[in-house]
Amino acid sequence: PPTNGALSQEVLNALNEAIITAANENNIPVINVYRALNELTGSGLDNTGSLSVSPNGGGSLSNSDVNTYGVNRLNYVILQTLTRLRTSIFP
């Protein structure tokens, strides 16, 4: 997703990598929102720069909605992460 110009893309990438590295080294779950949205056309943004939402609503987790709309993708990724946490804590 685009930045407001306060940070260069290079600096932003370095900060994101530092966060991910620290989380991995300390076994802390992290949701890489950038990666999740960057895989979508238009980075999951609508024409106003806001996260896009399926006409079926943000809670729709159909393959087509998760692979098209930003809010739906993030909801899916968050639910996946929570499921992994739950199964690792309560096997």
Side-chain angles (χ1 to χ4, degrees), residues 6 8 10-12 15 26-27 33-34 42 49 57-59 69 74 81 83:
S8 70
E10 183 177 292
V11 170
L12 187 60
L15 289 171
N26 293 287
N27 202 27
V33 173
Y34 178 81
Y69 300 100
L74 289 182
T81 303
T83 298

Side-chain angles (χ1 to χ4, degrees), residues 10 13-14 16-17 22 30-31 33-34 37 42 45 47 62 66 68 76 90:
E10 183 177 292
N13 289 345
N16 286 337
E17 284 302 317
V30 66
I31 296 173
V33 173
Y34 178 81
L37 294 177
L45 302 176
N47 59 0
S62 70
V66 166
T68 305
Y76 178 76
F90 305 105

Side-chain angles (χ1 to χ4, degrees), residues 4-91:
N4 65 1
L7 298 173
S8 70
Q9 191 64 47
E10 183 177 292
V11 170
L12 187 60
N13 289 345
L15 289 171
N16 286 337
E17 284 302 317
I19 291 167
I20 291 168
T21 299
N24 287 338
E25 288 174 356
N26 293 287
N27 202 27
I28 298 170
V30 66
I31 296 173
N32 191 331
V33 173
Y34 178 81
R35 182 173 25 192
L37 294 177
N38 195 48
E39 295 171 350
L40 300 177
T41 302
S43 295
L45 302 176
D46 63 18
N47 59 0
T48 69
S50 299
L51 287 175
S52 57
V53 182
S54 165
N56 299 317
S60 173
L61 299 176
S62 70
N63 283 337
S64 62
D65 287 350
V66 166
N67 291 313
T68 305
Y69 300 100
V71 168
N72 302 75
R73 171 62 68 95
L74 289 182
N75 286 340
Y76 178 76
V77 170
I78 291 166
L79 287 172
Q80 278 186 319
T81 303
L82 290 172
T83 298
R84 285 189 203 115
L85 282 171
R86 184 176 51 85
T87 56
S88 70
I89 295 170
F90 305 105

